[in-house]
Coordinates of all heavy atoms in Angstrom, one line a residue:
M1 N 80.8 112.0 -204.5 CA 82.2 112.0 -204.7 C 82.8 110.8 -204.0 O 82.4 110.5 -202.8 CB 82.8 113.3 -204.0 CG 84.3 113.4 -204.1 SD 85.0 114.9 -203.4 CE 84.2 116.2 -204.4
S2 N 83.7 110.1 -204.7 CA 84.3 108.9 -204.1 C 85.4 109.2 -203.2 O 85.9 110.4 -203.2 CB 84.9 108.0 -205.2 OG 86.0 108.6 -205.8
A3 N 85.8 108.3 -202.4 CA 86.9 108.5 -201.5 C 88.2 108.9 -202.2 O 88.9 109.7 -201.8 CB 87.2 107.3 -200.6
T4 N 88.5 108.3 -203.3 CA 89.6 108.6 -204.2 C 89.6 110.0 -204.7 O 90.6 110.7 -204.6 CB 89.8 107.6 -205.3 OG1 89.8 106.2 -204.9 CG2 91.0 107.9 -206.2
E5 N 88.4 110.4 -205.1 CA 88.3 111.9 -205.6 C 88.5 112.8 -204.5 O 89.1 113.8 -204.6 CB 86.9 112.0 -206.2 CG 86.7 111.3 -207.5 CD 85.2 111.3 -207.9 OE1 84.3 111.2 -207.1 OE2 85.0 111.3 -209.1
L6 N 88.0 112.5 -203.3 CA 88.1 113.3 -202.1 C 89.6 113.4 -201.8 O 90.1 114.6 -201.5 CB 87.3 112.8 -200.9 CG 87.3 113.6 -199.7 CD1 86.9 115.1 -199.9 CD2 86.5 113.0 -198.6
I7 N 90.3 112.3 -201.7 CA 91.8 112.4 -201.4 C 92.5 113.2 -202.4 O 93.4 114.0 -202.1 CB 92.3 110.9 -201.4 CG1 91.8 110.2 -200.1 CG2 93.8 110.9 -201.4 CD1 92.1 108.7 -200.0
E8 N 92.2 113.1 -203.6 CA 92.9 113.9 -204.7 C 92.6 115.4 -204.5 O 93.4 116.3 -204.7 CB 92.6 113.4 -206.1 CG 93.1 112.1 -206.5 CD 94.6 112.1 -206.3 OE1 95.3 113.1 -206.7 OE2 95.2 111.1 -205.8
K9 N 91.4 115.7 -204.1 CA 91.0 117.1 -203.8 C 91.7 117.7 -202.6 O 92.1 118.9 -202.7 CB 89.5 117.1 -203.6 CG 88.9 118.5 -203.7 CD 87.4 118.5 -203.7 CE 86.8 119.7 -204.1 NZ 86.6 119.9 -205.6
I10 N 92.0 116.9 -201.6 CA 92.7 117.5 -200.4 C 94.2 117.3 -200.5 O 94.9 117.8 -199.6 CB 92.1 116.9 -199.1 CG1 92.5 115.4 -199.0 CG2 90.7 117.2 -199.0 CD1 92.1 114.8 -197.6
R11 N 94.7 116.6 -201.4 CA 96.1 116.3 -201.5 C 97.0 117.6 -201.4 O 98.0 117.6 -200.8 CB 96.5 115.5 -202.8 CG 97.9 115.0 -202.8 CD 98.1 114.1 -204.0 NE 97.3 112.9 -204.0 CZ 97.5 111.8 -203.3 NH1 98.4 111.7 -202.4 NH2 96.7 110.7 -203.4
P12 N 96.6 118.7 -202.1 CA 97.4 119.9 -202.1 C 97.2 120.7 -200.8 O 98.0 121.7 -200.6 CB 96.9 120.7 -203.3 CG 95.6 120.2 -203.6 CD 95.5 118.8 -203.1
W13 N 96.4 120.3 -199.9 CA 96.2 121.1 -198.7 C 97.4 121.0 -197.8 O 98.2 120.0 -197.9 CB 95.0 120.5 -197.9 CG 93.7 120.6 -198.5 CD1 93.2 121.1 -199.6 CD2 92.4 120.3 -197.7 NE1 91.9 121.1 -199.7 CE2 91.4 120.6 -198.6 CE3 92.2 119.7 -196.4 CZ2 90.1 120.3 -198.2 CZ3 90.9 119.5 -196.1 CH2 89.8 119.9 -196.9
P14 N 97.6 122.1 -197.0 CA 98.7 122.0 -196.1 C 98.5 120.9 -195.1 O 97.4 120.4 -194.8 CB 98.5 123.4 -195.3 CG 97.7 124.2 -196.2 CD 96.8 123.3 -196.9
T15 N 99.6 120.4 -194.6 CA 99.6 119.2 -193.7 C 98.7 119.4 -192.5 O 98.0 118.6 -192.1 CB 101.0 118.9 -193.2 OG1 101.8 118.6 -194.3 CG2 101.0 117.7 -192.3
E16 N 98.8 120.6 -191.9 CA 98.0 120.9 -190.7 C 96.5 120.8 -191.0 O 95.7 120.3 -190.2 CB 98.3 122.3 -190.1 CG 97.5 122.7 -188.9 CD 97.7 121.8 -187.7 OE1 98.8 121.1 -187.7 OE2 96.9 121.8 -186.8
D17 N 96.1 121.3 -192.2 CA 94.7 121.2 -192.6 C 94.2 119.7 -192.7 O 93.1 119.3 -192.3 CB 94.4 122.0 -193.9 CG 94.5 123.5 -193.7 OD1 94.6 124.0 -192.5 OD2 94.5 124.2 -194.8
K18 N 95.1 118.9 -193.3 CA 94.8 117.5 -193.5 C 94.7 116.9 -192.1 O 93.8 116.0 -191.8 CB 95.9 116.8 -194.2 CG 96.0 117.2 -195.7 CD 97.3 116.5 -196.4 CE 97.6 117.1 -197.7 NZ 98.8 116.6 -198.1
R19 N 95.5 117.2 -191.2 CA 95.5 116.6 -189.8 C 94.2 117.0 -189.2 O 93.5 116.1 -188.5 CB 96.7 117.1 -189.0 CG 96.8 116.5 -187.6 CD 97.8 117.1 -186.7 NE 97.4 118.5 -186.5 CZ 96.5 119.0 -185.7 NH1 95.7 118.2 -185.1 NH2 96.3 120.3 -185.6
Q20 N 93.8 118.2 -189.3 CA 92.6 118.7 -188.6 C 91.4 118.0 -189.2 O 90.5 117.6 -188.5 CB 92.4 120.2 -188.8 CG 93.3 121.0 -188.0 CD 93.2 122.5 -188.2 OE1 92.4 122.9 -189.0 NE2 94.0 123.2 -187.3
L21 N 91.4 117.7 -190.5 CA 90.3 117.0 -191.2 C 90.2 115.6 -190.6 O 89.1 115.1 -190.3 CB 90.5 117.0 -192.7 CG 89.5 116.1 -193.5 CD1 88.1 116.7 -193.3 CD2 89.9 116.0 -195.0
V22 N 91.4 114.9 -190.5 CA 91.4 113.5 -190.0 C 90.9 113.5 -188.6 O 90.0 112.6 -188.2 CB 92.8 112.9 -190.1 CG1 92.9 111.5 -189.4 CG2 93.2 112.7 -191.6
E23 N 91.3 114.4 -187.8 CA 90.9 114.5 -186.4 C 89.3 114.8 -186.4 O 88.6 114.1 -185.5 CB 91.6 115.6 -185.6 CG 92.9 115.3 -185.2 CD 93.7 116.4 -184.5 OE1 93.0 117.5 -184.3 OE2 94.8 116.2 -184.1
Q24 N 88.8 115.6 -187.2 CA 87.4 115.8 -187.2 C 86.6 114.6 -187.6 O 85.6 114.3 -187.1 CB 87.0 117.0 -188.1 CG 86.9 118.3 -187.5 CD 86.4 119.4 -188.4 OE1 87.2 119.8 -189.3 NE2 85.1 119.7 -188.4
I25 N 87.1 113.9 -188.6 CA 86.4 112.6 -189.0 C 86.4 111.6 -187.9 O 85.4 111.0 -187.6 CB 87.1 112.1 -190.3 CG1 86.9 113.0 -191.5 CG2 86.7 110.7 -190.6 CD1 87.6 112.7 -192.8
C26 N 87.5 111.5 -187.2 CA 87.6 110.5 -186.1 C 86.7 111.0 -185.0 O 86.0 110.1 -184.4 CB 89.0 110.4 -185.6 SG 89.9 109.2 -186.7
E27 N 86.5 112.3 -184.7 CA 85.7 112.7 -183.7 C 84.2 112.5 -184.1 O 83.4 112.1 -183.3 CB 85.9 114.2 -183.4 CG 87.2 114.6 -182.6 CD 87.4 116.0 -182.4 OE1 86.5 116.8 -182.6 OE2 88.6 116.4 -182.2
E28 N 83.9 112.8 -185.3 CA 82.5 112.6 -185.8 C 82.1 111.2 -186.0 O 81.0 110.8 -185.6 CB 82.4 113.4 -187.1 CG 81.0 113.4 -187.7 CD 80.1 114.4 -187.0 OE1 80.6 115.3 -186.3 OE2 78.8 114.1 -187.0
F29 N 83.0 110.3 -186.5 CA 82.6 109.0 -186.9 C 83.5 107.9 -186.2 O 83.5 106.8 -186.6 CB 82.8 108.8 -188.4 CG 82.0 109.8 -189.3 CD1 82.7 110.8 -189.9 CD2 80.6 109.7 -189.3 CE1 81.9 111.7 -190.7 CE2 79.9 110.6 -190.1 CZ 80.6 111.7 -190.8
G30 N 84.2 108.4 -185.2 CA 85.1 107.4 -184.5 C 84.6 106.2 -184.0 O 85.1 105.1 -184.2
D31 N 83.5 106.3 -183.3 CA 82.8 105.0 -182.8 C 82.4 104.1 -184.0 O 82.6 102.9 -183.8 CB 81.6 105.4 -182.0 CG 81.9 106.0 -180.7 OD1 83.0 105.9 -180.2 OD2 81.0 106.6 -180.1
E32 N 81.8 104.6 -185.0 CA 81.5 103.9 -186.1 C 82.6 103.3 -186.9 O 82.6 102.2 -187.4 CB 80.7 104.8 -187.1 CG 80.1 104.2 -188.3 CD 79.4 105.2 -189.2 OE1 79.0 106.3 -188.7 OE2 79.2 104.9 -190.4
L33 N 83.7 104.1 -187.0 CA 84.9 103.7 -187.8 C 85.9 102.9 -187.0 O 86.9 102.3 -187.6 CB 85.5 104.8 -188.5 CG 84.6 105.6 -189.4 CD1 85.3 106.9 -189.9 CD2 84.2 104.8 -190.7
G34 N 85.8 103.0 -185.7 CA 86.9 102.4 -184.8 C 88.1 103.2 -184.8 O 89.2 102.5 -184.7
C35 N 88.1 104.5 -184.9 CA 89.3 105.3 -184.8 C 89.9 105.2 -183.4 O 89.2 105.1 -182.5 CB 89.0 106.8 -185.1 SG 88.6 107.1 -186.8
V36 N 91.2 105.1 -183.4 CA 91.9 105.2 -182.2 C 93.1 106.2 -182.3 O 93.5 106.6 -183.4 CB 92.5 103.8 -181.8 CG1 91.5 102.7 -181.6 CG2 93.5 103.3 -182.8
D37 N 93.5 106.6 -181.1 CA 94.7 107.5 -181.1 C 95.9 106.9 -181.7 O 96.3 105.7 -181.4 CB 94.9 107.8 -179.6 CG 96.0 108.9 -179.4 OD1 96.9 109.0 -180.2 OD2 95.9 109.6 -178.3
P38 N 96.5 107.5 -182.7 CA 97.6 107.0 -183.4 C 98.8 106.7 -182.5 O 99.7 105.9 -182.8 CB 98.0 107.9 -184.5 CG 97.4 109.2 -184.1 CD 96.1 108.9 -183.2
D39 N 98.9 107.4 -181.3 CA 100.0 107.2 -180.4 C 99.8 105.9 -179.5 O 100.8 105.6 -178.8 CB 100.2 108.4 -179.5 CG 100.7 109.7 -180.3 OD1 101.3 109.5 -181.4 OD2 100.3 110.7 -179.9
L40 N 98.7 105.3 -179.6 CA 98.4 104.1 -178.8 C 98.9 102.9 -179.5 O 98.8 102.8 -180.8 CB 96.9 103.9 -178.5 CG 96.3 104.9 -177.6 CD1 94.8 104.6 -177.5 CD2 96.9 104.9 -176.2
T41 N 99.5 102.0 -178.8 CA 99.9 100.7 -179.4 C 98.5 99.9 -179.5 O 97.5 100.2 -178.9 CB 100.9 99.9 -178.5 OG1 100.2 99.6 -177.3 CG2 102.2 100.7 -178.3
L42 N 98.6 98.9 -180.3 CA 97.4 98.0 -180.5 C 97.0 97.4 -179.1 O 95.9 97.2 -178.7 CB 97.6 96.8 -181.4 CG 97.7 97.3 -182.8 CD1 98.0 96.1 -183.8 CD2 96.4 98.0 -183.3
A43 N 98.1 97.1 -178.3 CA 97.8 96.5 -176.9 C 97.2 97.5 -176.0 O 96.2 97.1 -175.3 CB 99.1 95.9 -176.3
Q44 N 97.6 98.8 -176.1 CA 97.0 99.7 -175.3 C 95.5 100.0 -175.7 O 94.7 100.2 -174.8 CB 97.8 101.1 -175.4 CG 99.1 101.0 -174.7 CD 100.0 102.3 -175.1 OE1 100.0 102.7 -176.2 NE2 100.8 102.6 -174.1
A45 N 95.3 100.1 -177.0 CA 93.9 100.3 -177.5 C 93.0 99.1 -177.0 O 91.9 99.3 -176.6 CB 94.0 100.4 -179.0
A46 N 93.6 97.9 -177.1 CA 92.8 96.7 -176.7 C 92.5 96.8 -175.2 O 91.4 96.4 -174.7 CB 93.6 95.4 -177.0
E47 N 93.5 97.2 -174.4 CA 93.3 97.4 -172.9 C 92.2 98.4 -172.6 O 91.3 98.2 -171.8 CB 94.6 97.7 -172.2 CG 94.4 97.9 -170.8 CD 94.0 96.7 -169.9 OE1 94.0 95.6 -170.5 OE2 93.6 96.9 -168.7
L48 N 92.2 99.5 -173.3 CA 91.2 100.6 -173.1 C 89.8 100.0 -173.5 O 88.8 100.2 -172.8 CB 91.5 101.8 -173.9 CG 92.7 102.6 -173.4 CD1 93.0 103.8 -174.4 CD2 92.5 103.2 -172.0
D49 N 89.7 99.3 -174.6 CA 88.5 98.7 -175.0 C 88.0 97.7 -173.9 O 86.8 97.6 -173.6 CB 88.6 97.9 -176.4 CG 88.8 98.9 -177.5 OD1 88.4 100.1 -177.4 OD2 89.2 98.5 -178.6
R50 N 88.9 96.9 -173.4 CA 88.5 95.9 -172.4 C 88.0 96.6 -171.2 O 87.0 96.3 -170.6 CB 89.7 95.1 -172.0 CG 89.4 93.9 -171.0 CD 90.6 93.4 -170.4 NE 91.4 94.3 -169.5 CZ 91.0 94.7 -168.2 NH1 89.9 94.2 -167.8 NH2 91.7 95.5 -167.5
R51 N 88.7 97.7 -170.7 CA 88.3 98.4 -169.5 C 86.9 99.1 -169.8 O 86.1 99.1 -168.9 CB 89.3 99.5 -169.2 CG 90.6 98.9 -168.6 CD 91.6 100.0 -168.3 NE 92.8 99.4 -167.9 CZ 93.8 100.1 -167.2 NH1 93.6 101.3 -166.9 NH2 94.9 99.5 -166.9
L52 N 86.7 99.7 -170.9 CA 85.4 100.3 -171.2 C 84.3 99.3 -171.2 O 83.3 99.6 -170.6 CB 85.5 101.1 -172.6 CG 84.1 101.7 -173.0 CD1 83.7 102.7 -172.0 CD2 84.3 102.3 -174.4
A53 N 84.4 98.1 -171.8 CA 83.5 97.1 -171.8 C 83.2 96.6 -170.4 O 82.0 96.5 -170.0 CB 83.9 95.9 -172.7
E54 N 84.2 96.5 -169.6 CA 84.0 96.1 -168.2 C 83.2 97.2 -167.4 O 82.3 96.9 -166.7 CB 85.3 95.9 -167.5 CG 85.2 95.3 -166.1 CD 86.6 94.9 -165.5 OE1 87.4 94.4 -166.2 OE2 86.8 95.2 -164.3
F55 N 83.5 98.5 -167.7 CA 82.8 99.6 -167.0 C 81.4 99.5 -167.4 O 80.5 99.7 -166.6 CB 83.5 100.9 -167.3 CG 82.7 102.1 -166.8 CD1 82.6 102.3 -165.4 CD2 82.0 102.8 -167.6 CE1 81.8 103.4 -164.9 CE2 81.2 103.9 -167.2 CZ 81.1 104.1 -165.8
E56 N 81.2 99.4 -168.7 CA 79.8 99.4 -169.2 C 78.9 98.3 -168.8 O 77.8 98.4 -168.5 CB 79.7 99.5 -170.7 CG 80.2 100.8 -171.4 CD 80.4 100.8 -172.8 OE1 80.5 99.8 -173.4 OE2 80.4 101.9 -173.4
K57 N 79.6 97.2 -168.4 CA 79.0 95.9 -167.9 C 78.6 96.2 -166.4 O 77.5 95.8 -165.9 CB 79.9 94.8 -168.0 CG 79.3 93.5 -167.5 CD 80.3 92.3 -167.8 CE 79.9 91.1 -167.1 NZ 80.9 90.1 -167.2
N58 N 79.5 96.9 -165.6 CA 79.3 97.1 -164.2 C 79.6 98.6 -163.9 O 80.7 98.9 -163.2 CB 80.2 96.2 -163.4 CG 79.9 94.8 -163.7 OD1 78.8 94.3 -163.5 ND2 80.9 94.1 -164.1
P59 N 78.8 99.6 -164.4 CA 79.2 101.0 -164.1 C 79.3 101.4 -162.7 O 80.1 102.3 -162.3 CB 78.1 101.8 -164.9 CG 77.0 100.8 -165.0 CD 77.5 99.5 -165.0
R60 N 78.6 100.7 -161.8 CA 78.7 101.1 -160.3 C 80.0 100.7 -159.7 O 80.4 101.0 -158.6 CB 77.5 100.5 -159.6 CG 76.2 101.2 -160.1 CD 75.1 100.8 -159.3 NE 73.9 101.5 -159.8 CZ 72.8 101.4 -159.4 NH1 72.5 100.6 -158.3 NH2 71.8 102.1 -159.9
D61 N 80.8 99.8 -160.4 CA 82.2 99.4 -159.9 C 83.2 100.4 -160.1 O 84.2 100.3 -159.6 CB 82.5 98.1 -160.5 CG 81.7 96.9 -160.0 OD1 81.0 97.1 -159.0 OD2 81.7 95.8 -160.7
G62 N 82.9 101.4 -161.0 CA 83.9 102.4 -161.3 C 84.1 103.3 -160.1 O 83.4 103.5 -159.2
I63 N 85.2 104.1 -160.2 CA 85.6 105.1 -159.2 C 85.3 106.4 -159.8 O 85.8 106.7 -160.9 CB 87.0 104.9 -158.8 CG1 87.3 103.5 -158.2 CG2 87.4 106.0 -157.8 CD1 88.8 103.2 -158.0
P64 N 84.6 107.4 -159.1 CA 84.4 108.6 -159.6 C 85.7 109.4 -159.8 O 86.7 109.3 -159.1 CB 83.5 109.4 -158.5 CG 83.0 108.2 -157.7 CD 84.0 107.1 -157.8
W65 N 85.6 110.2 -160.9 CA 86.9 111.0 -161.2 C 87.4 111.8 -160.0 O 88.6 111.9 -159.8 CB 86.6 111.9 -162.5 CG 87.7 112.9 -162.7 CD1 87.6 114.2 -162.7 CD2 89.0 112.6 -163.1 NE1 88.8 114.8 -163.0 CE2 89.7 113.8 -163.2 CE3 89.8 111.4 -163.2 CZ2 91.1 113.9 -163.5 CZ3 91.2 111.5 -163.5 CH2 91.8 112.7 -163.6
E66 N 86.5 112.4 -159.3 CA 86.9 113.3 -158.2 C 87.7 112.4 -157.2 O 88.7 112.9 -156.6 CB 85.7 113.9 -157.5 CG 85.0 114.9 -158.4 CD 84.1 114.3 -159.5 OE1 83.8 113.1 -159.4 OE2 83.6 115.1 -160.4
Q67 N 87.3 111.2 -157.0 CA 88.0 110.4 -156.0 C 89.4 110.0 -156.6 O 90.3 110.1 -155.8 CB 87.2 109.1 -155.7 CG 87.9 108.2 -154.7 CD 87.0 106.9 -154.5 OE1 85.8 106.8 -154.7 NE2 87.7 105.9 -153.9
V68 N 89.4 109.7 -157.8 CA 90.7 109.3 -158.4 C 91.7 110.6 -158.3 O 92.8 110.4 -158.0 CB 90.6 109.0 -159.9 CG1 91.9 108.8 -160.6 CG2 89.7 107.7 -160.0
Q69 N 91.2 111.7 -158.7 CA 91.9 112.9 -158.6 C 92.5 113.2 -157.2 O 93.6 113.5 -157.1 CB 91.0 114.1 -159.1 CG 91.8 115.3 -159.7 CD 90.8 116.3 -160.3 OE1 89.6 116.3 -160.0 NE2 91.3 117.1 -161.2
A70 N 91.6 113.0 -156.2 CA 92.0 113.3 -154.9 C 93.1 112.3 -154.4 O 94.1 112.7 -153.7 CB 90.8 113.2 -153.9
E71 N 92.9 111.1 -154.8 CA 93.9 110.0 -154.4 C 95.3 110.3 -155.1 O 96.3 110.1 -154.4 CB 93.5 108.6 -154.8 CG 92.3 108.2 -153.9 CD 91.7 106.9 -154.3 OE1 92.3 106.1 -155.1 OE2 90.7 106.5 -153.8
V72 N 95.3 110.7 -156.3 CA 96.5 111.0 -157.1 C 97.2 112.3 -156.3 O 98.4 112.2 -156.2 CB 96.2 111.3 -158.6 CG1 97.5 112.0 -159.2 CG2 95.9 110.1 -159.2
K73 N 96.4 113.3 -156.1 CA 97.0 114.5 -155.4 C 97.6 114.1 -154.1 O 98.7 114.6 -153.7 CB 95.9 115.5 -155.2 CG 95.5 116.2 -156.5 CD 94.4 117.2 -156.3 CE 94.1 117.9 -157.6 NZ 93.0 118.9 -157.4
K74 N 96.9 113.2 -153.3 CA 97.4 112.8 -152.0 C 98.7 112.1 -152.2 O 99.7 112.3 -151.5 CB 96.3 112.1 -151.3 CG 96.8 111.6 -149.9 CD 95.6 110.8 -149.2 CE 96.1 110.3 -147.8 NZ 95.0 109.5 -147.2
R75 N 98.6 111.1 -153.0 CA 99.8 110.2 -153.2 C 101.0 110.9 -153.7 O 102.2 110.6 -153.3 CB 99.4 109.0 -154.3 CG 100.5 108.1 -154.4 CD 100.0 106.9 -155.3 NE 101.2 106.0 -155.6 CZ 101.1 105.0 -156.4 NH1 99.9 104.7 -156.9 NH2 102.1 104.2 -156.5
F76 N 100.8 111.8 -154.6 CA 102.0 112.5 -155.3 C 102.2 113.9 -154.7 O 103.1 114.6 -155.2 CB 101.9 112.5 -156.7 CG 101.9 111.1 -157.4 CD1 100.7 110.5 -157.8 CD2 103.0 110.4 -157.5 CE1 100.7 109.3 -158.4 CE2 103.1 109.2 -158.0 CZ 101.9 108.6 -158.5
G77 N 101.5 114.3 -153.8 CA 101.6 115.6 -153.1 C 101.3 116.8 -154.1 O 101.8 117.9 -153.9
W78 N 100.4 116.6 -155.0 CA 100.0 117.7 -156.0 C 98.9 118.5 -155.3 O 98.1 118.0 -154.4 CB 99.4 117.0 -157.2 CG 100.4 116.3 -158.0 CD1 101.8 116.2 -157.9 CD2 100.2 115.4 -159.1 NE1 102.4 115.4 -158.8 CE2 101.5 114.9 -159.5 CE3 99.1 114.9 -159.7 CZ2 101.6 114.0 -160.5 CZ3 99.2 114.0 -160.8 CH2 100.4 113.6 -161.2
K79 N 98.9 119.7 -155.7 CA 97.9 120.6 -155.1 C 96.8 121.0 -156.1 O 96.8 121.0 -157.2 CB 98.6 121.8 -154.6 CG 99.5 121.5 -153.5 CD 100.1 122.7 -152.8 CE 101.1 122.3 -151.9 NZ 101.1 122.4 -150.6

């Protein structure tokens, strides 16, 4: 089945079903297809890509999530 045929097949689906399909495709093939969050600007997506590449280059330079979480709670008084 071609992409055009597939689109025609799902065209009558409810909007929510189409959204779920797109999300599933991005989850399944996101790395391969370069899917990004549609709410991100291109600059934000580029910054995340830059940070990920930097982390992958030097993973020991990263800060553990638990430490980040503790610092945020301390700084903002969250419990």
